[in-house]
Amino acid sequence: RTSPSVERAPVTKIVGRSDEVLSLKARLELVASSDAPVLIAGESGTGKELVARAIHETSGRHRARRPWCPVPG
């Protein structure tokens, strides 16, 4: 189940000014412009669902009304 805080998470909800965060945001924009499937992996609590939601919300996937479908890991 998606948590309420992740309900709508565009890239602007990912905060920070470090080089790593700026690189992540740039990469998210690049991935969002693609129609390729995306696999996001990482430790528990690192924001994988936030990143996935940001990709979905800023991409054609959202505009095409494709469903948001998180897969529990």
Side-chain angles (χ1 to χ4, degrees), residues 13-70:
K13 290 207 174 183
I14 298 173
V15 296
R17 292 189 221 166
S18 68
D19 289 341
E20 291 82 4
V21 172
L22 295 176
S23 175
L24 172 66
K25 287 182 173 186
R27 204 173 287 186
L28 290 176
E29 295 289 345
L30 181 65
V31 170
S33 67
S34 167
D35 199 31
V38 178
L39 173 66
I40 301 167
E43 298 291 323
S44 177
T46 57
K48 295 178 300 291
E49 193 169 337
L50 182 70
V51 167
R53 175 61 80 171
I55 292 169
H56 182 78
E57 292 292 324
T58 58
S59 72
R61 297 164 179 88
H62 176 66
R63 288 185 292 281
R65 300 212 184 272
R66 292 183 185 163
W68 163 247
C69 187

